[in-house]
């Protein structure tokens, strides 16, 4: 079967660092995506990993370990506007989404 | 502005009504998708169109009927829906589906309530 697990909710403080984990068990793997979705808005693309290691994009970084079926999204210097849901998605022959992690950033 | 526009943003309909959701993409993409997003559930893929041809129907009930007249427009026709069909319906587009690293670009969705 196909299974993608993420924590349901996380909280953090403005200026801090937060790590959102994603574990997956899928038949086939052609890369892993992270999306950000603010309430009432479209999910927007953040990152794509297909090889092991860390990809850095400004305040956001994404890590992948294919052997462990594990990824994380690292958000640094948190801002209030980072309060959103973060969706992990694995591409097999189709794109399979996790349930998303709702992050709340407090002042 | 995401480049993918969905109308209407909100829709309330009775179980006997017929309505349509519309999606238009301005990104020059050639694949379009319908997803259903319900509370506390993963995004569920409903339909995929590549170059206007339907390539996937993910066991969706026949009360949902997609239409793709060209690569830029996608419709979802709704009839005799059930209350459990209430959800956020998201349209997305991408370059050819077979490009693994090609991200999806989503619209803001239509919030559907079936009464």
């Amino acid at each position: 079967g196909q299974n993608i697990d993420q924590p349901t909710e996380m909280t953090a403080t403005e200026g801090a660092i937060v790590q959102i984990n994603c574990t997956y068990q899928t038949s086939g793997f052609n890369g892993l995506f992270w999306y950000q979705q603010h309430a009432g808005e479209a999910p927007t693309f953040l990152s794509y990993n297909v090889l092991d290691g860390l990809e850095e994009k400004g305040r956001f970084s994404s890590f992948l370990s294919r052997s462990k079926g594990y990824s994380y999204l690292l958000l640094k210097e948190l801002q209030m506007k980072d309060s959103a849901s973060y969706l992990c998605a694995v591409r097999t022959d189709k794109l399979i989404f996790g349930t998303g992690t709702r992050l709340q950033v407090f002042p | 502005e995401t480049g993918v526009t969905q109308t209407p943003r909100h829709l309330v309909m009775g179980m006997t009504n017929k309505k349509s959701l519309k999606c238009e993409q301005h990104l020059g993409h050639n694949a379009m998708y319908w997803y259903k997003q319900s509370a506390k559930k993963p995004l569920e893929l409903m339909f995929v169109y590549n170059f206007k041809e339907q390539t996937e129907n993910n066991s969706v009930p026949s009360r949902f009927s997609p239409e793709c007249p060209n690569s830029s427009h996608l419709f979802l026709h709704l009839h005799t829906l059930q209350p459990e069909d209430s959800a956020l319906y998201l349209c997305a587009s991408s370059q050819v589906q077979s490009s693994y690293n090609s991200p999806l670009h989503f619209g803001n969705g239509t919030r559907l309530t079936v009464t």
Side-chain angles (χ1 to χ4, degrees):
Chain A
Q2 319 275 41
N3 195 43
I4 299 177
D5 285 317
Q6 305 178 235
T8 305
E9 291 192 359
M10 298 183 71
T11 59
T13 307
E14 199 173 13
I17 299 174
V18 71
Q19 178 175 309
I20 303 175
N21 295 325
C22 172
T23 57
Y24 62 90
Q25 294 172 305
T26 58
S27 52
F29 180 83
N30 289 304
L32 186 145
F33 292 84
W34 283 96
Y35 285 84
Q36 180 192 59
Q37 185 178 21
H38 286 100
E41 296 184 14
T44 55
F45 168 72
L46 289 177
S47 67
Y48 172 76
N49 294 66
V50 68
L51 300 176
D52 289 353
L54 189 68
E55 296 275 346
E56 297 188 71
K57 271 189 189 180
R59 294 189 299 113
F60 292 8
S61 303
S62 56
F63 172 83
L64 175 67
S65 169
R66 288 172 297 171
S67 62
K68 295 181 180 176
Y70 169 67
S71 173
Y72 67 72
L73 181 69
L74 192 70
L75 292 74
K76 301 177 187 174
E77 301 168 20
L78 279 174
Q79 301 175 11
M80 298 295 292
K81 67 178 182 179
D82 297 329
S83 293
S85 288
Y86 292 86
L87 311 178
C88 172
V90 173
R91 189 180 287 284
T92 56
D93 60 338
K94 58 181 76 173
L95 195 59
I96 305 166
F97 283 85
T99 53
T101 299
R102 185 173 167 227
L103 174 67
Q104 288 185 279
V105 180
F106 293 99
Chain B
E1 180 59 50
T2 68
V4 180
T5 303
Q6 289 187 243
T7 54
R9 288 297 306 272
H10 300 274
L11 178 63
V12 179
M13 59 186 288
M15 289 190 283
T16 58
N17 291 157
K18 287 185 181 181
K19 296 286 184 184
S20 295
L21 310 185
K22 180 182 176 183
C23 176
E24 183 175 1
Q25 58 96 1
H26 309 275
L27 300 169
H29 289 161
N30 43 37
M32 295 189 79
Y33 311 76
W34 280 116
Y35 278 88
K36 177 182 179 182
Q37 189 173 36
S38 304
K40 302 190 190 307
K41 288 187 175 180
L43 276 168
E44 298 172 51
L45 179 64
M46 300 175 73
F47 301 104
V48 182
Y49 280 82
N50 277 347
F51 296 100
K52 303 187 303 176
E53 298 298 320
Q54 187 180 123
T55 57
E56 186 142 358
N57 175 337
N58 210 26
S59 303
V60 180
S62 59
R63 57 185 184 269
F64 295 90
S65 174
E67 178 190 358
C68 188
N70 55 60
S71 294
S72 299
H73 293 86
L74 185 65
F75 296 89
L76 188 62
H77 303 300
L78 316 172
H79 65 98
T80 58
L81 294 191
Q82 305 297 311
E84 60 265 28
D85 296 323
S86 298
L88 182 68
Y89 288 84
L90 289 164
C91 172
S93 70
S94 73
Q95 279 301 355
V96 176
Q97 192 192 6
S98 59
S99 301
Y100 294 131
N101 65 345
S102 177
L104 299 183
H105 293 255
F106 287 89
N108 284 327
T110 295
R111 173 67 63 185
L112 173 67
T113 303
V114 181
T115 60

